[in-house]
Amino acid sequence: MMQATEASTDRPKVEPMTDLSPETRDQESMVPLQHAVAAHAIPPQALAQLARDWLREDTPNFDPAGVCVGSGNVEARLFCKMAGSILAGGPFFTAVFTELGCTVNWLFPEAAEMGPDGITLVAEVRGPARCLLLGERPALNCLARASGIATRCARLRAMAAAAGWHGEVAGTRKTTPGFRLVEKYAMLVGGASMHRQDLSGMAMLKDNHVWASGSITKAVQATRTVCGLTSKIEVECGSAEEACEAAAAGADIVMLDNLPPRELHAAAQLLKQGFPALLVEASGGVGPENLPQYFGPHVDIISLGCITQGCPVVDFSLKVQKPSCAPGGPARGAVAAAAADPGLP
């Protein structure tokens, strides 16, 4: 059995995803810089704590299956089985295995598009067998979820670029409890705006705030007393009249919520004429199927809850290699073997 002292004292340091093999560095030129280095925004202590929490959730007590595999060193290969997907979540994947004394060698950088083959060898993981298998599911969960969000964001951004719209496609706070850092990070990798990260990041006054305060003006004025110079105030509005009241009261951003596209663009134009510095956000009922209807010269931001809610995940598989597939054996042939293996989880 692997001694706990070895796992804790000899544990490799968590490194950013930009420390890659020479072949992978060559591919970084294909990835927009701001997306490829988004990992540098993640606090290392947050990475380590999340990894520990996920591992503790999945193995709160004994690991009976660990007895049959032992602690001999093995290699596993990470495959992506959905061509066209955007790779995201590598720092979290690596952090899980780092906690267990394993190492990860990435063959692609963050934000790289997988393919063109149906199955792509993405990374290699090495370490004690039982430790590698302890990290398998938590690490794959992070990668699958983050890559799914990044893929959706990249496609939404591509739609905006094709239409010549230069505003921000943004996410929301509709994130999975306890998983927000991963999901917000995935938005960055996919090229979308995170919007506000939490309630402290920006004051957003919604209908319930307004009803409890008495009016939009009262709500904005009261909130401004504690926001100071560093925090913006956004107000959710259901009509052009409400939006004009919010702008006149000093809101920095007005969200036009659940307005039909034609009505929304007319309201946005009216707001920009009266308040040129105001940011106008469209939200509510927006999805990939109707996003182009919300592009317009007076709309600065379009936020979509579907970036995180109901977003498909990307299919990854981690396969431990038999000795014949170890270094020196038919290494790259493993991709073909994986494609023919109906038992891939």
Side-chain angles (χ1 to χ4, degrees), residues 82-93:
M82 295 175 66
S85 301
I86 301 299
L87 179 64
F92 303 97
F93 184 96

Side-chain angles (χ1 to χ4, degrees), residues 53-96:
D53 290 344
W54 294 329
L55 288 166
R56 187 177 299 112
E57 176 187 54
D58 208 36
T59 317
N61 209 306
F62 288 109
D63 171 34
V67 173
C68 72
V69 295
S71 294
N73 286 325
V74 295
E75 176 187 312
R77 290 182 182 159
L78 175 68
F79 297 98
C80 176
K81 299 186 283 182
M82 295 175 66
S85 301
I86 301 299
L87 179 64
F92 303 97
F93 184 96
T94 298
V96 169

Side-chain angles (χ1 to χ4, degrees), residues 11-15 42-56 91-100 181:
R11 184 180 295 152
K13 181 181 178 182
V14 178
E15 296 292 348
I42 306 173
Q45 71 275 14
L47 268 179
Q49 187 60 54
L50 283 170
R52 292 179 191 128
D53 290 344
W54 294 329
L55 288 166
R56 187 177 299 112
F92 303 97
F93 184 96
T94 298
V96 169
F97 285 112
T98 295
E99 281 296 310
L100 295 164
L181 183 63

Side-chain angles (χ1 to χ4, degrees), residues 59-329:
T59 317
N61 209 306
F62 288 109
D63 171 34
V67 173
C68 72
V69 295
S71 294
N73 286 325
V74 295
E75 176 187 312
R77 290 182 182 159
L78 175 68
F79 297 98
C80 176
K81 299 186 283 182
M82 295 175 66
S85 301
I86 301 299
L87 179 64
F92 303 97
F93 184 96
T94 298
V96 169
F97 285 112
T98 295
E99 281 296 310
L100 295 164
C102 301
T103 60
V104 181
N105 176 43
W106 290 96
L107 305 179
F108 289 87
E110 286 285 88
E113 183 175 340
M114 299 291 94
D117 297 330
I119 294 181
T120 304
L121 177 60
V122 181
E124 299 161 336
V125 185
R126 297 181 180 89
R130 71 181 186 89
C131 294
L132 193 149
L133 295 176
L134 280 174
E136 177 185 12
R137 181 44 52 196
L140 286 176
N141 286 349
C142 293
L143 202 65
R145 179 73 172 148
S147 296
I149 291 170
T151 300
R152 172 159 285 183
C153 288
R155 290 173 182 169
L156 295 173
R157 283 300 314 168
M159 293 170 66
W165 184 70
H166 301 291
E168 295 278 353
V169 173
T172 68
R173 278 174 49 248
K174 297 175 182 178
T175 54
T176 307
F179 212 59
R180 180 172 293 174
L181 183 63
V182 179
E183 294 177 351
K184 290 287 190 179
Y185 166 81
M187 295 178 199
L188 284 181
V189 174
S193 168
M194 295 187 294
H195 211 290
R196 59 173 178 167
Q197 297 180 46
D198 48 50
L199 291 176
S200 301
M202 180 177 70
M204 182 184 291
L205 306 179
K206 302 174 78 68
D207 51 4
N208 287 328
H209 295 95
V210 172
W211 295 335
S213 300
S215 72
I216 289 174
T217 300
K218 289 180 180 178
V220 172
Q221 291 176 342
T223 306
R224 182 64 70 188
T225 62
V226 294
C227 279
L229 300 174
T230 58
S231 297
K232 292 182 178 179
I233 297 176
E234 178 170 7
V235 180
E236 176 188 270
C237 301
S239 67
E241 292 73 22
E242 290 181 356
C244 287
E245 180 184 352
D252 302 289
I253 307 171
V254 165
M255 175 195 288
L256 298 174
D257 189 43
N258 284 304
L259 267 65
R262 181 174 295 182
E263 184 179 341
L264 179 139
H265 291 302
Q269 182 176 8
L270 178 67
L271 288 166
K272 288 291 189 176
Q273 289 172 346
F275 308 91
L278 183 74
L279 292 177
V280 176
E281 176 177 344
S283 188
V286 188
E289 69 286 347
N290 64 354
L291 177 62
Q293 298 178 36
Y294 292 85
F295 297 148
H298 308 294
V299 177
D300 303 293
I301 308 156
I302 302 176
S303 56
L304 303 91
C306 68
I307 284 178
T308 48
Q309 290 194 325
C311 181
V313 299
V314 174
D315 192 4
F316 288 93
S317 178
L318 190 67
K319 302 299 288 184
V320 173
Q321 301 300 292
K322 295 180 180 180
S324 61
C325 292

